[in-house]
Amino acid sequence: MLKITAMELGIYFVNCYLIREEASKTCVCIDPGGNADKVLKFLAENDLTLEAILLTHGHFDHVGAVRELAEKTGCKVYLDPADALGDALYPLKASDVDEAWPASGSLTIDELTFTIYHTP
């Protein structure tokens, strides 16, 4: 059974989701907003390993915690390359991203499979 934990993070209260199979100790994080400490605390309290960060887009309010989470957990970061521009609105650079979203189809991380819809 799929287990989804929602958190509101950062000054804009961005919806962040931690997703895993209920019996699994690995998870993915979607849009970690701007509060790495809150995500790291949740991971530690639940004995979870973060495998990947999946970004819906690269706006600053959705990616604020990406670098710190990636550094502290060693997880991969996924983002459409068009959203990694390296300016004030899109602060991530292509070098911050480990994998590009597949243009279509699906992405499997451990036991989780995500269907990809390219919506530029």
Side-chain angles (χ1 to χ4, degrees):
M1 177 173 284
L2 199 59
K3 182 150 180 113
I4 300 172
T5 302
M7 300 178 180
E8 292 179 340
L9 299 179
I11 61 172
Y12 293 103
F13 303 101
V14 169
N15 291 316
C16 168
Y17 302 96
L18 293 163
I19 302 173
R20 65 184 172 102
E21 286 292 333
E22 192 168 25
S24 179
K25 289 296 183 180
T26 62
C27 66
V28 300
C29 178
I30 298 176
D31 292 341
N35 191 332
D37 290 339
K38 189 172 180 179
V39 175
L40 291 167
K41 181 180 178 189
F42 180 85
L43 294 171
E45 288 174 349
N46 293 278
D47 192 28
L48 296 173
T49 300
L50 184 61
E51 290 293 318
I53 297 171
L54 310 179
L55 298 168
T56 59
H57 62 287
H59 283 166
F60 70 96
D61 56 331
H62 285 248
V63 304
V66 169
R67 286 188 185 114
E68 185 175 353
L69 285 173
E71 287 174 9
K72 291 186 175 177
T73 67
C75 71
K76 285 189 172 186
V77 178
Y78 292 79
L79 174 68
D80 186 317
D83 275 327
L85 303 175
D87 63 17
L89 184 58
Y90 296 88
L92 290 183
K93 299 178 185 131
S95 61
D96 294 318
V97 178
D98 297 303
E99 301 281 340
W101 282 109
S104 61
S106 64
L107 173 66
T108 299
I109 300 170
D110 288 333
E111 301 146 8
L112 302 171
T113 299
F114 299 89
T115 301
I116 308 301
Y117 297 97
H118 185 68
T119 55

